[in-house]
Amino acid sequence: MKKPVIAIVGPTAVGKTRLSVEVAEKFDGEIISGDSMQVYQGLDIGTAKITEEEKHGIPHYLIDTKRPGDSFSVADYQQLVQQYINEIGLHQKLPIIVGGSGLYIQAALYDYNFSDQRRDDEVTRKLEEELNSHGVLTLHNRLKKIDPDQAAKVHPNNHRRVIRALEIYQTTGLTMTEYQKQQKRESPYNPIFIGLEMDRKLLYQRINARVDNMLKQGLLDEVEMLYKQGFENSQSMRGIGYKEFIPYFKGEQSLIQATETLKQNSRRFAKRQYTWFKNKLDVHWYTITPETIDETFRKILDDLAGMLERV
């Protein structure tokens, strides 16, 4: 029998954290973070990390497990999630993944095999030299010609994924899109995907308000501390909520400009998240509003009870 695993997905600021705790309380579950940035210690406010009070005593995994200077890949995430799913099962608990890092969640639940294609250090080194000499746009434009689908998914600033896609092509002759299509798609689990969505205008208002609230909570001090500790070029500081303030600390932008950039990047990210989950996974979607959130969450819990009975 395949183990049931619930995954609660959707764009940022839509209410996933609260729902995950309610699901865990009702179905005796434990929660695994599905956010690729919450693994980093010290990145609390900008990643909207759950507080101890909000956890309601529910065990949470993959939060605060890495130092800000550490790297953390999809393959690392996959290995750890599968380990925690097994551990949670041994506790006779229900594993619940919650977050918005779609590729990470998909890779973990569908057992993508990352070990088949190891990195070619020499190819990677040459691509990194080219990046330093000619800039990432040169590499991203090359990726557009080779694999337009992958290029559309990867922002030019995501140097690592641009280089990885080009490296896969140079070493295998396959585009990243072709390579991923070859991956095994049957899950070793019985995943149940619950998605939260919201009217786009309302969601964007919530995102803007959330950024303002993060700043009131001390986000700027959090980013400045990491910046002064020398993590500017670390993977952790490339995340939304952190990279936007680097130009401000360098005197290249005003705080107002940096804040507006953060709001804009957060809105665009939410749109990409929503599109990704709609296209990639079989999700049971629920539309929520501030007025109907309690009623909708009750319906989700009722629906989940029926889904779990059928697993």
Side-chain angles (χ1 to χ4, degrees):
M1 291 285 292
K2 292 182 179 181
K3 299 173 185 175
V5 179
I6 294 174
I8 299 172
V9 302
T12 188
V14 77
K16 299 184 297 294
T17 298
R18 176 187 155 185
L19 176 61
S20 68
V21 172
E22 293 193 19
V23 170
E25 288 178 324
K26 182 172 178 65
F27 298 106
D28 198 16
E30 297 183 354
I31 295 171
I32 303 169
S33 171
D35 186 307
S36 62
M37 297 296 293
Q38 290 188 354
V39 295
Y40 290 111
Q41 300 161 6
L43 281 74
D44 301 328
I45 300 171
T47 64
K49 206 172 282 179
I50 189 170
T51 65
E52 288 301 318
E53 183 180 0
E54 290 170 333
K55 288 178 183 178
H56 289 195
I58 303 295
H60 281 64
Y61 302 88
L62 277 178
I63 294 176
D64 291 337
T65 60
K66 295 286 182 180
R67 295 186 301 273
D70 292 342
S71 62
F72 187 66
S73 69
V74 181
D76 294 332
Y77 179 81
Q78 178 195 58
Q79 180 182 2
L80 289 168
V81 167
Q82 294 179 350
Q83 172 189 321
Y84 288 132
I85 287 174
N86 289 334
E87 288 182 14
I88 291 169
L90 292 175
H91 303 161
Q92 302 298 310
K93 304 286 186 179
L94 175 67
I96 301 162
I97 301 177
V98 55
S101 298
L103 176 62
Y104 281 63
I105 295 171
Q106 185 185 37
L109 292 182
Y110 285 89
D111 203 26
Y112 285 179
N113 191 342
F114 293 96
S115 61
D116 283 352
Q117 184 54 39
R118 297 192 179 277
R119 283 193 176 277
D120 186 309
D121 292 337
E122 182 62 19
V123 172
T124 300
R125 184 184 63 78
K126 288 180 179 178
L127 287 167
E128 287 174 346
E129 287 178 356
E130 189 174 352
L131 170 72
N132 293 330
S133 300
H134 302 289
V136 71
L137 283 179
T138 299
L139 298 184
H140 195 264
N141 286 334
R142 185 187 309 164
L143 182 60
K144 278 184 186 177
K145 295 177 183 177
I146 294 169
D147 188 357
D149 289 342
Q150 183 67 14
K153 296 181 205 171
V154 180
H155 192 279
N157 288 342
N158 196 333
H159 306 164
R160 294 171 69 253
R161 287 185 65 189
V162 172
I163 287 176
R164 178 59 170 161
L166 291 171
E167 181 221 341
I168 288 282
Y169 181 72
Q170 288 184 214
T171 55
T172 69
L174 296 173
T175 66
M176 182 64 88
T177 299
E178 292 168 336
Y179 180 71
Q180 289 175 344
K181 282 180 180 176
Q182 290 186 357
Q183 296 290 324
K184 180 177 163 184
R185 292 306 303 272
E186 183 179 351
S187 177
Y189 312 107
N190 263 317
I192 300 171
F193 292 97
I194 300 296
L196 299 181
E197 58 184 346
M198 183 179 285
D199 172 77
R200 189 69 56 85
K201 184 178 179 181
L202 177 59
L203 180 63
Y204 286 175
Q205 290 172 351
R206 284 171 62 96
I207 288 171
N208 291 341
R210 184 189 230 187
V211 170
D212 290 336
N213 190 49
M214 284 177 171
L215 287 167
K216 290 176 184 175
Q217 291 176 330
L219 175 59
L220 195 62
D221 291 337
E222 181 172 281
V223 182
E224 185 176 20
M225 181 184 67
L226 294 163
Y227 176 72
K228 288 182 174 178
Q229 289 176 347
F231 295 117
E232 175 187 350
N233 297 314
S234 298
Q235 181 181 342
S236 61
M237 288 285 278
R238 295 177 195 151
I240 294 173
Y242 296 87
K243 64 184 178 182
E244 290 84 3
F245 292 106
I246 302 299
Y248 167 68
F249 292 127
K250 290 184 172 182
E252 298 168 356
Q253 278 188 358
S254 69
L255 181 56
I256 292 174
Q257 289 173 313
T259 302
E260 186 50 44
T261 300
L262 171 53
K263 290 179 178 179
Q264 184 181 69
N265 286 348
S266 298
R267 295 191 299 266
R268 288 175 175 171
F269 180 55
K271 184 178 180 181
R272 291 198 304 273
Q273 286 176 302
Y274 181 65
T275 301
W276 199 96
F277 285 118
K278 283 280 186 178
N279 292 338
K280 296 287 186 179
L281 297 170
D282 184 15
V283 178
H284 303 276
W285 288 101
Y286 296 83
T287 301
I288 62 173
T289 69
E291 296 77 22
T292 63
I293 189 167
D294 294 336
E295 177 186 344
T296 305
F297 280 11
R298 283 195 296 271
K299 176 171 174 48
I300 291 171
L301 295 175
D302 288 343
D303 290 352
L304 273 173
M307 294 176 198
L308 288 168
E309 283 181 4
R310 294 191 292 271
V311 170

